[in-house]
Structure formats: C-alpha cells, structure tokens
Amino acid sequence: MTSKKSFWPTSAIAILMAAGGCVSVLPEQPKPEAVYRLAEPQALAELRTHVVIREPDAPRLFASRTITSQSPDGGLKVVSGVAWADRATRMFQVTMLDAFKGDGPGLAVDDVTGVSGEYELYWRVSEFSLQGTDGVCELQLTLLDGRSRVPVAQQSVSARAQATSKGDLARARALSDAGRLCVEKAASFIAERAVPAEDEADDSLAG
C-alpha cells in the first residue's frame, strides 16, 4: 500500500500564517508624544429643565483620536506627534455634560442612561482642526422637543484659539481650548432656548 504525501505551496503557507496573526504586513503606527482632552469648561450655564445630550456627529477625521491640520488650500493631514485621549466626539459630549451647573433646576443627561428629558440636543462637529498655530472649532446645534423630536431652535457656534508657540504640543492645546470655547457657547445657547413647558404656557397666556 502506498501512502500519498500532500505538499502545500509556499504561498499558501504564507497566507495561512498571515491569517493566523503570525505575520504582520502592516507597519506599526508611531505612538503620539502626548495625548490631550478638551479643556474643562470655565463658564457654566444653568438649565431650567432636563436636556438629553447625545454624542455629536462629525466627519471621520474630526470624530476619531487623530488631530488634524489644515493647509491653506484646504487639505487635511494628521499631526502624528499628538492625539486625543478618546475619540473627539465622545470628548465633546462629556465636555458638554460638564458645561452646566449641577445644582440648577435642570440637568444635562447622557443619552446612554436612558433618562428622558424635555429637550434633546442633536449636533454636529463641522470643523475641528488646526490652521497654522490656531485651533478652530465649529458646531452646528439643533435643539429638539424631547417628545415629538421636532426642532425648536437651531444655531451654529464657532471659536478660535491661538497657540503660544509653533510646536505641535502647543498647537494641540490651542485646539483643545477652541473646543472648550465652542462648547461653552453651545451650552449658553441651550440654556437660553431650553424653556420648561410651564414657562412657555405662562408666556402665551401673558401674550
């Protein structure tokens, strides 16, 4: 009785090893020199009713942990020496939650808690990048009725912060400050327009 030997071609073995994680064909990404979070809000707004804060939408480059720089012709490139500590959209959400006083009549609520509010914030990070030594941020805000989800107010806010030097670390801090300023402006708008239903009823009776 003769036995048959099976032979695997070298190319097939290489494919199997790569699939099993034995061979890496992708270069390792360089680790950033420093990671940053958005600066903490300094001016806190007061809510009169509960508002649900969702994580904002954003273009892919503005939503991740990468920090991008915009050239004069509008092109974007990743600044490799620095990065965000978390995805940027989540940091915006957390910073917005922290931008309101905790002892007011209304609270800002993280949407993952499942708690409902009289209003809900739908928003988008439309700009969040470096332009030279300036950090630039722009947010588009839509305040929705918490029950009907009908828009009740819309606004766009923007901010710019200048770095103290041309280095990437200083520029990243400037972008962090621009994000914080944007959130503070957004929080002020939300606090002004998120009016409790009873207050709206009183205003209409008075009118």
Side-chain angles (χ1 to χ4, degrees), residues 113-176:
T113 64
V115 177
S116 60
E118 194 167 351
Y119 293 91
E120 182 177 316
L121 178 66
Y122 172 80
W123 51 322
R124 178 176 175 82
V125 182
S126 55
E127 178 63 62
F128 191 50
S129 64
L130 292 164
Q131 295 180 7
T133 56
D134 286 356
V136 180
C137 173
E138 183 175 0
L139 304 175
Q140 296 173 347
L141 314 168
T142 300
L143 193 63
L144 307 174
D145 182 281
R147 291 185 177 180
S148 65
R149 297 182 60 81
V150 172
V152 296
Q154 291 182 314
Q155 181 70 289
S156 177
V157 297
S158 60
R160 181 181 291 263
Q162 188 170 23
T164 55
S165 69
K166 294 182 179 180
D168 288 342
L169 302 185
R171 295 167 72 216
R173 285 192 291 269
L175 187 54
S176 172

Side-chain angles (χ1 to χ4, degrees), residues 11 25 82 98 101 108 136 144 169 181:
S11 58
V25 295
V82 289
D98 292 340
K101 296 179 180 178
V136 180
L144 307 174
L169 302 185
L181 291 169

